[in-house]
DNA sequence: TAATTATTGAACACAGTGTTCACTATGAGC
DNA sequence: GCTCATAGTGAACACTGTGTTCAATAATTA
């Protein structure tokens, strides 16, 4: 089956398949896509498809993995906190960088978020976000670790999940809200809490 | 096609199909399920299935809708705020009630959250949560509406999305963490913000 | 009980799957 | 450039599931 090949023919074929696949996903439901559709749009024989992927689910899996790998790598080892104190500038900068990345890889994220029946894309993405987030927090030596370990579990889940939802909504809005605008609101919610962010008296 | 029938045979058949369907979803991937599987497990003819549903996607749709309708109805018209001030007890009580509901409808939520390829369950659920949430907030006449309408959009998305993620995690933990424990943490995150909740200096 | 209608099961054409095989074409390495 | 290895082709194959039909049967209603 698939092993890392340097043969130009292989590289071309795979690229054609993956490209075409994203294109088709932007037009059609994943469930409605057939291997035949993909093969003919990629201008390869249907049998050739099976030389590279087990089936369309395998293809989807690989495309998702590649996309998320690239994304998570952007979370690069920076610290947004200095001595347990929030660096507002760093967080804001980080959020902006992330949203810029999403905008750049627009095609991938649109295909994944808005195709009605991509199995598990959001879950996958959230898992990746979460584990990276937990890693970062793990290195921070927080007082809450001893005092309230459950909070240490819950908060990253809460936040990573929230971010995926926000991201999806942002794409729905044609990603026309600027990174700065979003980043500022996120910072307020993160530091003051959702209720105070709405102007509620707490 | 389907219209509300009172014929006992119809009621029985539909109930059998929907019951069986949930059972099968707890054992098998949705994609791997065939109409034949469902029909034979429900002890009906395959043709009979098509007298009630267009296909397995239609069935899924209907089961999801019913489940979410029941759930959203629990959000019943209460106010968790009094004169723009948070009522901690009411929010806590509300969150606990919700989690109790989830526990009771365990079979449904497990089937939906953990079946690897249920198309769109989380999205659907989030949409329903969000719209209910927005309704509630809309009735509250908040100062932020004028000052920062974008925040009014973002915050409910952030929170409803976060809640779905938390819920899914809770089920993964076999729902063995008590409603009280969860509710307390959620309240802290909501009122103080995720960062302060972790004990960070903001 | 009679009339109605839901269910049955077998048959049908159809579409997509994943595999195979002999043949062709194209890149890799000398 | 030439040669060898191998990727891609396209047609054929059996197979599984789909969604529909139809006459016969069973259950429900009134």
């Amino acid at each position: 089956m698939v092993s890392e090949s340097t043969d130009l023919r292989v590289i071309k074929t795979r690229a054609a398949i993956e490209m075409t696949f994203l294109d088709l996903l932007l037009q059609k439901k994943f469930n409605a896509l057939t291997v035949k559709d993909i093969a003919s749009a990629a201008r390869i024989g249907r049998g050739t498809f099976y030389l590279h992927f087990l089936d369309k689910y395998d293809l989807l899996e690989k495309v998702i993995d590649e996309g998320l790998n690239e994304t998570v790598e952007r979370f690069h080892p920076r610290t947004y906190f200095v001595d347990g104190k929030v660096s507002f500038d760093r967080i804001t900068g980080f959020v902006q960088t992330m949203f810029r990345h999403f905008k750049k890889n627009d095609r991938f994220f649109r295909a994944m978020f808005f195709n009605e029946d991509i199995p598990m894309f959001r879950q996958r993405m959230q898992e990746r976000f979460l584990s990276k987030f937990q890693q970062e927090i793990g290195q921070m030596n927080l007082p809450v670790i001893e005092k309230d370990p459950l909070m240490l579990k819950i908060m990253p889940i809460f936040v990573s999940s929230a971010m995926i939802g926000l991201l999806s909504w942002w794409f729905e809005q044609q990603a026309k809200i600027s990174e700065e605008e979003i980043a500022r609101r996120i910072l307020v919610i993160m530091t003051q809490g959702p209720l105070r962010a709405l102007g509620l008296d707490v």
Side-chain angles (χ1 to χ4, degrees), chain A residues 63-172:
Chain A
V63 169
I64 288 183
D65 274 351
E66 283 168 29
L68 291 185
N69 282 343
E70 255 187 72
T71 303
V72 173
E73 277 160 20
R74 305 260 153 186
F75 270 92
H76 248 350
R78 294 202 213 159
T79 41
Y80 316 118
F81 305 93
V82 184
D83 305 327
K85 238 181 144 25
V86 177
S87 163
F88 290 81
D89 288 349
R90 287 192 192 177
I91 289 189
T92 310
F94 167 72
V95 174
Q96 288 184 26
T97 309
M98 288 303 298
F99 274 81
R100 258 178 236 126
H101 167 77
F102 296 132
K103 204 179 247 171
K104 220 167 90 191
N105 295 59
D106 181 90
R107 234 167 65 92
F108 170 75
F109 287 104
R110 263 181 210 293
M112 295 303 158
F113 272 127
F114 301 126
N115 201 292
E116 264 200 19
D117 42 21
I118 294 281
M120 302 285 285
F121 175 68
R122 288 178 192 227
Q123 272 103 312
R124 286 281 166 76
M125 184 155 176
Q126 204 208 310
E127 281 160 21
R128 302 294 296 270
F129 268 50
L130 179 59
S131 84
K132 195 71 190 233
F133 196 3
Q134 284 171 333
Q135 241 173 274
E136 300 251 328
I137 287 181
Q139 294 164 352
M140 281 177 60
N141 196 341
L142 295 167
V144 82
I145 295 172
E146 306 289 322
K147 239 177 48 199
D148 187 354
L150 183 57
M151 181 59 95
L152 193 71
K153 284 224 148 202
I154 285 180
M155 184 280 205
I157 292 161
F158 189 93
V159 171
S160 59
S161 185
M163 291 301 299
I164 311 288
L166 213 48
L167 198 53
S168 168
W169 170 83
W170 186 64
F171 275 112
E172 266 172 55

Side-chain angles (χ1 to χ4, degrees), chain A residues 13-58:
Chain A
T13 304
R14 291 214 189 131
I17 292 175
E18 298 194 1
M19 271 294 198
T20 305
F21 182 56
L22 270 196
D23 280 341
L24 292 178
L25 280 183
L26 289 164
Q27 301 164 26
K28 231 176 151 179
K29 284 187 174 191
F30 174 75
N31 281 331
L33 268 187
T34 67
V35 173
K36 198 182 152 195
D37 290 339
I38 299 167
S40 76
R43 297 165 186 283
I44 59 162
R46 194 168 63 86
T48 308
F49 178 92
Y50 291 104
L51 292 169
H52 297 277
F53 303 96
L54 290 172
D55 50 32
K56 66 172 180 169
Y57 300 97
D58 185 45

